[in-house]
Amino acid sequence: IRKGFPEVIFGQGKTAAQITRILQAMASSEEVILVTRISKDKAQQVMESITAATYDEEARILQLQKNPPEIINKGEILVISAGTSDIPVAREAAITARAMGNRVTTVFDVGVAGIHRLFAHKKIIEQASVIVVVAGMEGALPSVVAGMVKSPVIAVPTSIGYGTSFGGMTALLSMLNACSSNIAVVNIDNGFGGGHMAATINRLTALIHDTP
Amino acid sequence: IRKGFPEVIFGQGKTAAQITRILQAMASSEEVILVTRISKDKAQQVMESITAATYDEEARILQLQKNPPEIINKGEILVISAGTSDIPVAREAAITARAMGNRVTTVFDVGVAGIHRLFAHKKIIEQASVIVVVAGMEGALPSVVAGMVKSPVIAVPTSIGYGTSFGGMTALLSMLNACSSNIAVVNIDNGFGGGHMAATINRLTALIHDTP
Amino acid sequence: IRKGFPEVIFGQGKTAAQITRILQAMASSEEVILVTRISKDKAQQVMESITAATYDEEARILQLQKNPPEIINKGEILVISAGTSDIPVAREAAITARAMGNRVTTVFDVGVAGIHRLFAHKKIIEQASVIVVVAGMEGALPSVVAGMVKSPVIAVPTSIGYGTSFGGMTALLSMLNACSSNIAVVNIDNGFGGGHMAATINRLTALIHDTP
Amino acid sequence: IRKGFPEVIFGQGKTAAQITRILQAMASSEEVILVTRISKDKAQQVMESITAATYDEEARILQLQKNPPEIINKGEILVISAGTSDIPVAREAAITARAMGNRVTTVFDVGVAGIHRLFAHKKIIEQASVIVVVAGMEGALPSVVAGMVKSPVIAVPTSIGYGTSFGGMTALLSMLNACSSNIAVVNIDNGFGGGHMAATINRLTALIHDTP
Amino acid sequence: IRKGFPEVIFGQGKTAAQITRILQAMASSEEVILVTRISKDKAQQVMESITAATYDEEARILQLQKNPPEIINKGEILVISAGTSDIPVAREAAITARAMGNRVTTVFDVGVAGIHRLFAHKKIIEQASVIVVVAGMEGALPSVVAGMVKSPVIAVPTSIGYGTSFGGMTALLSMLNACSSNIAVVNIDNGFGGGHMAATINRLTALIHDTP
Amino acid sequence: IRKGFPEVIFGQGKTAAQITRILQAMASSEEVILVTRISKDKAQQVMESITAATYDEEARILQLQKNPPEIINKGEILVISAGTSDIPVAREAAITARAMGNRVTTVFDVGVAGIHRLFAHKKIIEQASVIVVVAGMEGALPSVVAGMVKSPVIAVPTSIGYGTSFGGMTALLSMLNACSSNIAVVNIDNGFGGGHMAATINRLTALIHDTP
Amino acid sequence: IRKGFPEVIFGQGKTAAQITRILQAMASSEEVILVTRISKDKAQQVMESITAATYDEEARILQLQKNPPEIINKGEILVISAGTSDIPVAREAAITARAMGNRVTTVFDVGVAGIHRLFAHKKIIEQASVIVVVAGMEGALPSVVAGMVKSPVIAVPTSIGYGTSFGGMTALLSMLNACSSNIAVVNIDNGFGGGHMAATINRLTALIHDTP
Amino acid sequence: IRKGFPEVIFGQGKTAAQITRILQAMASSEEVILVTRISKDKAQQVMESITAATYDEEARILQLQKNPPEIINKGEILVISAGTSDIPVAREAAITARAMGNRVTTVFDVGVAGIHRLFAHKKIIEQASVIVVVAGMEGALPSVVAGMVKSPVIAVPTSIGYGTSFGGMTALLSMLNACSSNIAVVNIDNGFGGGHMAATINRLTALIHDTP
Ligand SMILES: Nc1ncnc2c1ncn2[C@@H]1O[C@H](COP(=O)(O)O)[C@@H](O)[C@H]1O
Ligand SMILES: Nc1ncnc2c1ncn2[C@@H]1O[C@H](COP(=O)(O)O)[C@@H](O)[C@H]1O
Ligand SMILES: Nc1ncnc2c1ncn2[C@@H]1O[C@H](COP(=O)(O)O)[C@@H](O)[C@H]1O
Ligand SMILES: Nc1ncnc2c1ncn2[C@@H]1O[C@H](COP(=O)(O)O)[C@@H](O)[C@H]1O
Ligand SMILES: [Mg+2]
Ligand SMILES: [Mg+2]
Ligand SMILES: [Mg+2]
Ligand SMILES: [Mg+2]
Ligand SMILES: [Mg+2]
Ligand SMILES: [Mg+2]
Ligand SMILES: [Mg+2]
Ligand SMILES: [Mg+2]
């Protein structure tokens, strides 16, 4: 039994009809199902048949859950993002982590160009058990955050930027070269992966406690 | 107090004299000090003055510790590597994690070209609380391992290979695109970072348990 | 005489009128004609004049054949693919190989993230005389498959993925660096080329046998 | 039983002592053992203990064989190379294929800048059952050769060239984009892989014949 | 006085109105004016006001000339192209060279995959004083052509291809690494530049002759 | 007259004899001469003939000056660097700016992984009229510094790092994508250029003041 | 108080409604507000509510200012651009610098292919206190300009070009490698950043003068 | 008969013994033989046997000629180079063109950072019938030169530079994007190719004249 691991459908490239069919097949046996990267348009078509589903437009996630997922892990996952345009990816991470049974807090719009805004959240940052940091452009935020704490930081580069941001490649490279050692990185715009990895990590807080 | 976080000196680009001086300054106040990426040659020079230090030639790590670091975390960190040539990076990860107070197991030489060798260790793999997977060339191993477990996997690409392995870039890209979602990646040949991140994660097993 | 080598028209960038004209010119002299990379739209226009043609929407191939192509080679070509989105490229390979006089089997949706699904087909995999493996994202599947057999594996990278998948470049590089030595690679999304190469190879089973 | 598949040791990065030890362990159970990418220097040290071994300086291959490998496959493997500097990689391919039980012919120094030299070998080219084409710089040779025959062509890019040859990347890309469809490609400078793949393919000529 | 150098307007990114205005300003003082990279649509709008202009749809060039440009140079410029899709760029080169006072011949659809088609034109190729070779995909054609002659070859890579053709980069790199030494290269899809450079070179046949 | 612009010799790739000869030719007419990128070895040879020259080993700069250059500009140039290994490039910048008639302060070893160390210098940072920030690895420091001030920041990426630092490319890209708008960037490891540009800017403080 | 630093909204990716809302919130407290990268369409919608705003279609900047910004700095900022298509980026730079209290001159259409056109402006170029040079394609202009003056040059690469211009990367690299040392570079198409940096630099002419 | 086309041996990667052997075989039948890319060391060994050969250390060319090659073409080839370090490649071009029967002039050290130095040679530049321009770093020189003349310009990028000069790639890209249309480009550091192409072009001045 894999409590806390929802079924996940990668919505991109699938039609509304295909998604609906998959959801109907799974609906009875699963507690929580997420459809990621699904446009508003397609989501609305799906919800005509699957009326119990709910849609988060910003995160582009559609959820179908029997009951709101129980908090099964201890500690808190914090999702931080740099610019306004990074919020969709950050919310995708947050919703994923929440659906996997975690308490999730978010702090958005705290880029390194005005670093005092970040420091205003020092306490919340130090208390988190796992932190997901979402940033585009120069991707400097995870490095700064990781330097402030002892917890694991999952860095999610976004494709936000222009010119030499190279669709997120600059942010990704920056994160892989971070001077702090409590950072690991996922694919560009992979908010789902960032949230999932954080949840996988935070699960250790429950697992070990329960075993003895 | 940051129990389990040793002082770490990045040896590359520093002379034996510089390293010796830094070690002497820190020796009294620190429980454990690691010097990473230090050649045999330089290590031997350092050990002439710092006779209590020990050197691991394969991992290129020099350690100075008052007492063998206590196991302070629960669960076990597993370090897996693909080819013979990946072992130095894998050992660097393992030694780092051990020095940070973790029980560490290693399984080397289990590349995907003979996948039955990997499956022979199925049990050990499923029991680990965090897994570090080290691989060069096509970098496929973390993807396969992550598909076998629910624990977090830290993927460490190595620069092993030739031609289009591009000094580890191919392995890195492969790992960032892994189909499993319980993977995050560190810089090429960053065995220290892989081990450190794993230890940072496994620390959650102790932290939460101790708090209440 | 080149039995088993159909005429092939590269449909991409040609208008329906141009394709119709070429087909009409060739129709009488050729046993089998394939049009690759032709959209549903254009195919329907072509079929208004060339009513004997048939269209495979998923593979985007239009075929015109006097009689179903005879099986002229021994052994079997197996086409394996990783994700759902890789199926179009895989079908393009399968249809091409079939049109060139080969028995063709397909096994789809057996990516490395759930490797037991692959092993469920162990027998079929070991019996094939040539295997085409189609995969996007991290492109790890050919490496694993090639490690299971002694037959030649043709690896076809696809452009499926996002972020650092770089339109198939990551899968391609991964395949070129595979640890097994019975792999060779074709261009990204080149299902036709993969199927054609496999047929060219499998032809050896007929050729030699027939010569003495 | 895998007749025709010699044991292969990747010599690069291993010491003479390590190679000697591995050879001694395998010597009794194996018919043929190849050590690839081994320098003259190391080979001579190895041969002091393993006196039965022979070394090909150009191909940088050391062989240890009980008896000269029998020709077990039908058809002939042809190895063609473009420039003088490509010969080492070409010989590595030829020796590997020969050691795997194939009749092997070689045609060297027939680059596309003087294409009549290539055409002088038209007959030999058309008779081969598998062709390995080795080329650096612009990597155009495989494309031309593949256009002359119906057999499978394995293209091996080499790192020969300067400036924008990018260590073989230009040749590799050129080969992947060849207009002919009977080509597949292996890693840069991977003569061993090219020869091994060709042998794997040519094995079909024996296999099928023998089965009924 | 610069006989043979028409005025040239780079049409891309300019509106029909802007182009019309520029043409009207120049019309009286110039013998020949070319507008390159202008779509059919825009060309038709321009020709409503500038009725004397003519448009070549394939080459996407609009011309306004008082009289057909006189042949002012000796020798002949030959434009060769590889695939059907390369023809637009090849025609752009041919029309440009013709407008600059040169006799121009064209040989299209003679790619290296069927090299006998190229050799059928051996005589015409050997007689040209300058040759422009246009090719996409693997870009091998200029290398082969240059090996057949002693005249200067201008290689024009095109963006035709898919996957690893990288929008013409592979063809470009291939051409820069050609084994022959009578080749120089211009930017991707720069048919105008190829034709202009050829005309600039062929002008030497007139210049010197006339001077004494 | 160009007061504050010393003669500069790019030492890299020149022999000691060549540098000596150039210095001797210039010595009488120039107030200050810098030789950049000159190794200790070569510098010592030069100083055997040019005994008045002085050498800074860390910055690899040799200076020959009639009198210590006068402070001719107002305001202060601040040179900040991230890691220990970045110091040589930082010193190259500082010495260049000083030789051009500026008051120069330096703050080294204040990387973003321990950002409090940077903030300890808040006052000095806010008072500078131009700031040069030198950083390798993820190159995040200029972005953070620029967010703290209103003065112009010249960012100098260094080649310090490994793996995906790509010889400074990652730091460079990071700096070009900085969220602050008071940053401009020079070439990798170009400490001389960074110092020179800063001096060119700070010269405005003198120029304008003097004019009226 | 930060006289000369307008509020700036990055318009790209924001809706007209969002921009309107932000403008309304800031309108009373700010002297000058710029919205960059805003399309004509969106600008018109915004101006329906914010009637005092003005829009520059070419620069894609919308401005809202209580009074025309006073000239607060001495010296003059010069904006030079190479081709017609570079003008939008050049105007973005000019408008930004003007809004920050600087006298701004512009010289457009003076590319290096007709360098006499540039030299016709020699005097204006030598008199500027800071120069912004905007260029696409080969990006050679800043190098030539910087060689003519002793003032700081801010180079802005544009994405203008095709084929190997790689969306501005070629121009950017060219600028970073300029032989002159009074150049620093900003991101591709970052006219705003170029103008802002120039203003930040020119501010030194006022600052120092005012302080004593 | 190919008057003006010397035999050429690519020295790089060949031993002195190999080169000597080839020279001895050719010596009687050839008027002029060039060995390019041969180090001083090897050249001296070769000249011990082939005493009639002469060596140019800077160009790294060894020549063996029965008589000084006659001037067989009209017009003059001009070789221009930018920096001191570009001279070896420039001399390689000049010597090659001279050996092919051309009058050759050289103008070195006229980079774009001090463009007046270039203009001092305006007359010589305008009189040349073909111009070879050699430049590293930002590679801007060919663009400026081509804008000054109507003759064909062959641009030779060099690997001179550091950081983002990427071994000559930046110069190459810059040259391919030159705004002038009378430019074509050869491989990085390919001085031989540049000189050869120029000679091939200048040959038209003789050919046509002689034919009638
Ligand atoms: N999908 C494909 N990918 C690559 N090459 C193809 C494809 N389909 C057809 N071809 C090749 O293109 C040739 C026909 O091109 P065309 O004459 O333009 O129709 C065939 O002979 C095939 O070798
Ligand atoms: N030159 C080569 N290039 C690529 N792979 C090789 C080469 N030589 C040997 N191998 C592979 O490496 C394996 C042996 O690696 P190892 O155990 O490190 O000696 C063999 O089974 C071969 O598949
Ligand atoms: N470290 C450096 N990096 C870049 N450019 C430099 C450097 N040192 C000197 N220069 C430039 O190179 C020119 C001198 O080059 P050279 O004539 O080869 O000695 C000087 O005028 C400087 O502009
Ligand atoms: N065109 C532009 N390019 C780069 N940065 C810009 C641009 N326009 C505005 N900015 C920056 O973006 C910030 C505002 O971003 P936002 O809060 O998303 O509107 C400003 O403070 C500027 O520093
Ligand atoms: Mg950011
Ligand atoms: Mg591996
Ligand atoms: Mg895959
Ligand atoms: Mg070749
Ligand atoms: Mg082609
Ligand atoms: Mg840094
Ligand atoms: Mg330009
Ligand atoms: Mg240059």
Side-chain angles (χ1 to χ4, degrees), chain C residues 19-91:
Chain C
I19 294 169
T20 305
R21 214 168 323 118
I22 306 179
L23 281 174
Q24 282 164 337
M26 287 177 171
S28 61
S29 62
E30 299 292 332
E31 281 299 309
V32 181
I33 312 177
L34 301 184
V35 187
T36 64
R37 300 204 163 207
I38 172 169
S39 65
K40 190 177 182 179
D41 222 58
K42 278 202 245 169
Q44 282 170 338
Q45 287 174 57
V46 171
M47 288 187 292
E48 276 167 32
S49 322
I50 317 271
T51 51
T54 58
Y55 181 63
D56 186 295
E57 189 176 338
E58 215 167 14
R60 293 185 307 148
I61 288 186
L62 183 133
Q63 284 194 74
L64 181 60
Q65 44 189 45
K66 299 224 174 97
N67 301 292
E70 214 186 320
I71 303 295
I72 54 178
N73 302 319
K74 300 184 191 309
E76 198 161 276
I77 292 177
L78 173 63
V79 179
I80 304 183
S81 74
T84 317
S85 321
D86 300 323
I87 294 179
V89 175
R91 278 189 67 84

Side-chain angles (χ1 to χ4, degrees), chain C residues 9-19 22 35-39 42 60, chain E residues 58 83-88 160-162:
Chain C
I9 300 163
F10 186 58
Q12 188 173 296
K14 299 205 173 73
T15 64
Q18 290 175 314
I19 294 169
I22 306 179
V35 187
T36 64
R37 300 204 163 207
I38 172 169
S39 65
K42 278 202 245 169
R60 293 185 307 148
Chain E
E58 215 166 14
T84 318
S85 321
D86 300 323
I87 294 180
I160 296 305
Y162 59 89

Side-chain angles (χ1 to χ4, degrees), chain E residues 184 197, chain H residues 130-134 152-156 182 184-186 193-194 197-198 201:
Chain E
M197 182 67 178
Chain H
V130 190
I131 306 179
V132 179
V133 185
V134 179
V153 170
I154 303 302
V156 186
N182 46 338
V185 186
V186 299
M197 182 67 178
I201 291 172

Side-chain angles (χ1 to χ4, degrees), chain A residues 126-165:
Chain A
E126 286 172 356
Q127 280 169 351
S129 70
V130 190
I131 306 180
V132 179
V133 186
V134 178
M137 297 181 75
E138 89 271 61
L141 191 58
S143 200
V144 174
V145 171
M148 295 168 66
V149 298
K150 289 290 148 192
S151 336
V153 170
I154 303 302
V156 185
T158 72
S159 56
I160 296 305
Y162 59 89
T164 54
S165 80

Side-chain angles (χ1 to χ4, degrees), chain F residues 8-11 14 36-37 92 190 192-193, chain G residues 179-181, chain H residues 84 137 162:
Chain F
V8 187
I9 300 164
F10 185 59
K14 299 205 173 71
T36 64
R37 301 203 161 207
E92 191 185 15
N190 193 1
F192 164 72
Chain G
C179 300
S180 307
S181 304
Chain H
T84 318
M137 297 180 73
Y162 59 88

